Amino acid sequence: MKKALITGITGQDGSYLAELLLEKGYEVHGIIRRASNFNTQRIDHIYKDPHFDDTKLFLHYGDLTDSVALVKLLYSLQPDEIYNLGAQSHVRVSFDVPESTGDIVGLGAQRILEAIRETGLVEKTRYYQASSSEMFGKVQEVPQIETTPFWPRSPYACAKVYGHWLTVNYRESYGLHASSGILFNHESPRRGETFVTRKITRAATRIKMGLQDKLYLGNLDAQRDWGYAKEYVEMMWLMLQQDEPDDYVIATNETHSVKEFCQETFGRLGMDFEEHVEYDKRYERPAEVELLIGDPAKAKKQLDWEPKVKFKELVAIMVDADLELAKKELAIARAEKELGIHTVA
């Protein structure tokens, strides 16, 4: 039985990856940060799902800012594979907390890579680094491929560039089987509600149910290459199964604007987005990334992989899931009103 360690296991990608690895018979370990409340909603179902009987899923308190804890954990677990998905991953927020973002995203990767070396696991353990299309930033060519020069436009992207090149450096310097997935935007119903796609589908369905009136957004003209997160985690696993480590762009090779995402979302609900969406400059980035579109030709050729879920289907998956959530929210609100319960905001 292979043993895998996932940082960021409670996030969107981490939860899908945990499911995938468990289905493949892995013993899965995840690092979670200690907090005053639990943030394991995305993986709680695994323990209840009969499909995952006798689940080999274990959680450990830790933090990407704590190198001693990481070293101790690797000594204890001796994992066959490590997937570094943990991050402060909100690009706009990274402008407000640049030091923290750099510490978690950039130096966090450094700490894990050095922990692998320190614990003597270089020959045993395979490492996956979650790189990002945001590293391309002010794009130097269209579409972007693995050799496209980076031009990061946010503290988050700068930190990701650091983590990416560290991964290459440890691969070349110590012979570590270390691969980076340069993933373009990937979404799902598990996406955090502060990210623009989920913010749109969540708001649109709540507006449809009469639970809110308006949606406020920043730059509607920004164009992104959007794929389905559940598919993209398969690529993470595939990279670590190869004889030789490498770096891969994972994308759909299609680009759509935030405005198009709004049109498709509200249109699926029979509404006109222009009647409900308003501009708010607070959501603009100090330095914008206008266009991202990736060419996954290398992944298709070397790994026999290409995305199946494209833009319209992705939006439909997210809207349908959030519509069910909004319906439940409305039912609870009505029940509370009938019982005379007033929720304090």
Side-chain angles (χ1 to χ4, degrees):
M1 180 184 292
K2 282 188 176 181
K3 189 183 297 182
L5 174 64
I6 304 172
T7 71
I9 194 171
T10 59
Q12 170 188 251
D13 293 4
S15 64
Y16 282 125
L17 180 60
E19 290 177 347
L20 177 70
L21 295 178
L22 288 168
E23 287 172 354
K24 293 183 178 297
Y26 279 65
E27 179 178 303
V28 178
H29 296 259
I31 297 177
I32 60 173
R33 286 174 291 174
R34 181 72 178 91
S36 58
N37 59 346
F38 290 107
N39 184 30
T40 58
Q41 298 94 327
R42 293 185 180 94
I43 57 175
D44 285 343
H45 69 281
I46 292 175
Y47 295 103
K48 304 171 185 176
D49 191 337
H51 181 64
F52 295 112
D53 279 348
D54 300 319
T55 294
K56 299 295 184 181
L57 175 61
F58 306 93
L59 302 179
H60 309 267
Y61 286 122
D63 199 296
L64 288 174
T65 63
D66 188 341
S67 58
V68 173
L70 291 172
V71 168
K72 290 169 65 176
L73 187 59
L74 293 197
Y75 266 128
S76 172
L77 295 181
Q78 301 279 304
D80 299 288
E81 298 172 3
I82 296 176
Y83 297 86
N84 181 27
L85 312 184
Q88 188 301 99
S89 58
H90 198 288
V91 178
R92 178 62 189 85
V93 171
S94 77
F95 285 98
D96 300 324
V97 288
E99 182 178 345
S100 174
T101 299
D103 194 12
I104 297 167
V105 177
L107 289 175
Q110 170 79 80
R111 294 182 184 104
I112 297 176
L113 287 164
E114 188 61 15
I116 293 172
R117 194 175 74 88
E118 176 67 26
T119 52
L121 293 173
V122 169
E123 294 185 3
K124 171 183 171 62
T125 301
R126 297 187 174 193
Y127 174 79
Y128 172 82
Q129 170 65 16
S131 291
S132 169
S133 60
E134 287 287 334
M135 300 188 304
F136 296 121
K138 189 175 181 180
V139 297
Q140 301 302 290
E141 62 180 349
V142 177
Q144 294 86 57
I145 60 176
E146 290 79 6
T147 57
T148 301
F150 299 138
W151 193 318
R153 300 267 284 172
S154 67
Y156 168 77
C158 290
K160 279 294 185 184
V161 170
Y162 180 65
H164 178 86
W165 282 118
L166 276 172
T167 302
V168 174
N169 183 255
Y170 273 70
R171 181 168 72 212
E172 295 178 349
S173 300
Y174 306 113
L176 176 65
H177 192 297
S179 297
S180 290
I182 307 174
L183 271 61
F184 281 63
N185 293 64
H186 46 290
E187 318 297 321
S188 76
R190 297 183 190 177
R191 188 55 137 158
E193 294 182 19
T194 59
F195 291 83
V196 67
T197 52
R198 185 76 195 290
K199 183 177 179 181
I200 293 168
T201 59
R202 186 82 173 95
T205 53
R206 295 188 83 249
I207 290 170
K208 181 70 175 179
M209 293 292 102
L211 293 166
Q212 74 180 69
D213 298 319
K214 295 290 183 181
L215 166 62
Y216 297 92
L217 296 172
N219 182 12
L220 294 181
D221 296 322
Q223 298 178 67
R224 295 292 185 268
D225 184 325
W226 277 302
Y228 185 30
K230 188 173 182 178
E231 283 188 333
Y232 280 29
V233 300
E234 296 172 12
M235 274 300 301
M236 300 176 186
W237 176 79
L238 272 174
M239 288 180 209
L240 297 198
Q241 310 316 306
Q242 305 308 303
D243 292 335
E244 298 296 329
D246 208 340
D247 306 319
Y248 298 89
V249 161
I250 308 302
T252 68
N253 202 25
E254 290 183 8
T255 188
H256 299 274
S257 67
V258 175
K259 181 178 180 180
E260 287 179 78
F261 202 100
C262 287
Q263 289 172 328
E264 188 68 26
T265 296
F266 281 85
R268 185 169 179 80
L269 296 166
M271 297 187 292
D272 181 353
F273 87 95
E274 292 184 339
E275 295 178 4
H276 304 284
V277 176
E278 293 187 6
Y279 171 76
D280 190 328
K281 66 179 182 180
R282 291 178 298 174
Y283 297 113
E284 291 274 7
R285 300 178 185 179
E288 183 58 84
V289 174
E290 297 294 348
L291 170 65
L292 292 174
I293 177 171
D295 182 356
K298 180 179 176 180
K300 182 178 180 180
K301 180 180 179 181
Q302 295 185 202
L303 305 176
D304 193 28
W305 180 91
E306 59 183 328
K308 298 179 180 66
V309 175
K310 296 298 182 70
F311 180 71
K312 288 182 179 294
E313 185 179 353
L314 172 64
V315 174
I317 289 170
M318 295 180 67
V319 170
D320 292 352
D322 273 335
L323 184 59
E324 290 304 309
L325 193 61
K327 288 177 179 178
K328 291 178 181 177
E329 189 178 354
L330 179 61
I332 291 172
R334 285 174 173 169
E336 289 179 345
K337 184 177 181 180
E338 289 179 1
L339 294 171
I341 299 172
H342 299 283
T343 302
V344 178

